[in-house]
Amino acid sequence: MALLLVLTSAPASERVLPALELLSHRVRQIPAEPAQLVSAPESDIVIVDGRHDLSAAKSLCKLLRTTGQDAPLLLVVTEGGMSAVSGDWGIDDVLLTDAGPAETDARIRLAIARGEATAEPSRVQASGVTIDEQSYSAKLHGRSLDLTYKEFQLLHFLATHPSRVFTREQLLSEVWGYDYFGGTRTVDVHVRRLRAKLGDQEQIIGTVRNVGYRFNVYDEDQLAAAR
């Protein structure tokens, strides 16, 4: 199941790609406006509605690419608009609005797979923590951290969103998944265990009272003073 973000100028009640209603993917539809894009939720696929205004859709696709959008980008058009689409749009694939569920699902899966295959292994470094996504390993000032898989995922998620505060519910959803039935206490337990393994640097995982948790960013002088 993928998380899909649909960008459209159509009314919220109008379905850009009707086939999605017959699939199990989670779909979020928001207005294709710059103000909305700034706070747009993360997604596995971004779908741009090009059914009614091809010029606006092309501009939006290019804008998404120039602003660092790295999720696969799919464009939905009518058959008449297909001839206007070219390689300089920056899209990963194109779908007709009347595409059936099987074709739609296949294109979504293939776009995600291509993105994963071409993505370069990345390394996250902040506040003395180094996270290697490829080897699922983490170090603190060069010292290996013996983390469970969920502890690693939690640290990785927070570190890739530095200084941003997440509620327990958000962390439960992002790290454990939408299908997890446990309570938010699970988050507190894992934060406590993660802090114990960070030792005297446990303040890297900060608590925001009555809200949730965040990854605190420190420079080397601040880290040295905190030891």
Side-chain angles (χ1 to χ4, degrees):
M1 181 179 68
L3 302 178
L4 312 181
L5 181 64
V6 179
L7 307 179
T8 178
S9 57
S13 59
E14 183 179 330
R15 294 292 169 253
V16 175
L17 201 54
L20 290 178
E21 296 188 3
L22 301 176
L23 300 173
S24 61
H25 303 298
R26 293 181 61 87
V27 182
R28 176 82 178 274
Q29 185 167 307
I30 67 172
E33 302 171 356
Q36 294 286 336
L37 298 180
V38 171
S39 57
E42 294 189 6
S43 60
D44 298 313
I45 292 277
V46 175
I47 298 175
V48 174
D49 180 8
R51 298 171 302 158
H52 305 304
D53 190 337
L54 286 170
S55 178
K58 180 178 182 179
S59 297
L60 179 59
C61 290
K62 288 189 171 184
L63 175 64
L64 289 168
R65 286 309 187 205
T66 57
T67 55
Q69 170 59 245
D70 55 4
L73 194 58
L74 269 61
L75 175 70
V76 176
V77 296
T78 62
E79 188 166 357
M82 187 72 81
S83 60
V85 181
S86 60
D88 65 346
W89 285 51
I91 60 174
D92 295 283
D93 205 347
V94 60
L95 268 169
L96 290 175
T97 187
D98 58 357
E103 179 184 354
T104 300
D105 189 52
R107 289 183 183 273
I108 289 172
R109 287 186 287 102
L110 290 171
I112 292 175
R114 285 194 298 268
E116 292 175 345
T118 58
E120 296 182 1
S122 60
R123 178 171 293 184
V124 180
Q125 290 183 301
S127 299
V129 174
T130 301
I131 300 173
D132 189 326
E133 297 178 16
Q134 188 175 32
S135 63
Y136 288 94
S137 63
K139 295 181 179 181
L140 177 63
H141 302 300
R143 172 176 64 86
S144 294
L145 297 172
D146 184 17
L147 304 179
T148 66
Y149 181 63
K150 283 302 178 187
E151 289 167 354
F152 174 85
Q153 285 188 305
L154 178 60
L155 179 62
H156 178 268
F157 181 77
L158 289 171
T160 51
H161 301 83
S163 301
R164 179 175 168 183
V165 181
F166 291 93
T167 66
R168 291 167 176 81
E169 289 77 10
Q170 287 176 313
L171 291 172
L172 198 64
S173 172
E174 295 289 348
V175 178
W176 279 263
Y178 290 96
D179 297 328
Y180 182 76
F181 294 104
T184 55
R185 175 172 165 72
T186 296
V187 176
D188 295 329
V189 170
H190 279 75
V191 167
R192 185 168 66 248
R193 291 174 179 170
L194 183 55
R195 282 174 170 163
K197 293 179 179 181
L198 290 172
D200 61 1
Q201 300 295 300
E202 65 173 23
Q203 73 277 7
I204 290 173
I205 307 299
T207 299
V208 179
R209 188 180 298 274
N210 298 324
V211 182
Y213 299 104
R214 70 182 174 195
F215 186 93
N216 289 323
V217 179
Y218 298 100
D219 59 30
E220 290 302 320
D221 291 337
Q222 290 172 314
L223 285 171
R227 294 178 192 172

